[in-house]
Amino acid sequence: MAHCSIEVPEGFCDQLGGHLNAYITEVGGDTPTNILSEGASYEVVVSLELTAITKRMICGHWCVCVAAESIGPLAEPKTCQSKDMTNCDDAPEVVRFRLPEGWFGSAEGAQCGDVFNLSVTAVAYDNCEPPRPLGIAGFCTLGPVMVQ
């Protein structure tokens, strides 16, 4: 039986980094906001980027969620999407969530608006069956936001 060895450059794994950014805007707009009007539709835009040349070796997908925690008795909606990684491209991955009218629940009976803590989570999974986390994860806090 042969005796073999393999070398991995020092700091190879330390080179990989990432960026996660998110904002909420009215559908069709590009200005971030945190005061939302009931009856309007909003979009959460999430940008994910792995850095370093080593990202090209990672095959997988992102599981990205937007969740709202109500400050009060309203529902706490959550929506998720899966996005395949395109690590051969240097551009960030962009995931868009359209939050339709009523996504935050009804403000009936609310006085002076409702407040939600809005957050985004992102976890990288491999492409194996069953998928397992790769150890790359992050979150953003977009809230509080007020629905008036």
Side-chain angles (χ1 to χ4, degrees):
M1 178 175 237
H3 178 270
C4 304
S5 62
I6 188 169
E7 183 177 303
V8 176
E10 188 177 320
F12 189 72
C13 291
D14 294 338
Q15 294 177 14
L16 186 62
H19 301 285
L20 172 63
N21 296 299
Y23 63 91
I24 186 169
T25 184
E26 288 188 48
V27 169
D30 58 0
T31 304
T33 186
N34 62 355
I35 305 291
L36 313 179
S37 298
E38 183 181 13
S41 296
Y42 291 88
E43 184 174 54
V44 174
V45 180
V46 181
S47 174
L48 299 147
E49 182 177 18
L50 295 178
T51 58
I53 195 75
T54 56
K55 78 177 191 174
R56 293 174 179 262
M57 299 184 329
I58 299 173
C59 296
H61 65 276
W62 292 103
C63 177
V64 184
C65 298
V66 174
E69 180 182 21
S70 170
I71 307 298
L74 293 176
E76 297 185 342
K78 181 176 181 177
T79 184
C80 299
Q81 292 184 38
S82 179
K83 169 123 173 67
D84 289 336
M85 292 179 179
T86 55
N87 289 333
C88 292
D89 186 351
D90 289 334
E93 309 283 352
V94 176
V95 181
R96 295 178 182 275
F97 291 87
R98 183 157 185 169
L99 307 182
E101 177 183 339
W103 189 81
F104 289 95
S106 173
E108 280 185 38
Q111 294 180 346
C112 303
D114 289 301
V115 175
F116 293 84
N117 284 321
L118 190 63
S119 54
V120 170
T121 58
V123 178
Y125 284 87
D126 62 26
N127 284 335
C128 300
E129 208 41 62
R132 292 196 174 114
L134 291 171
I136 302 169
F139 71 94
C140 294
T141 302
L142 300 176
V145 298
M146 185 177 94
V147 180
Q148 58 177 348

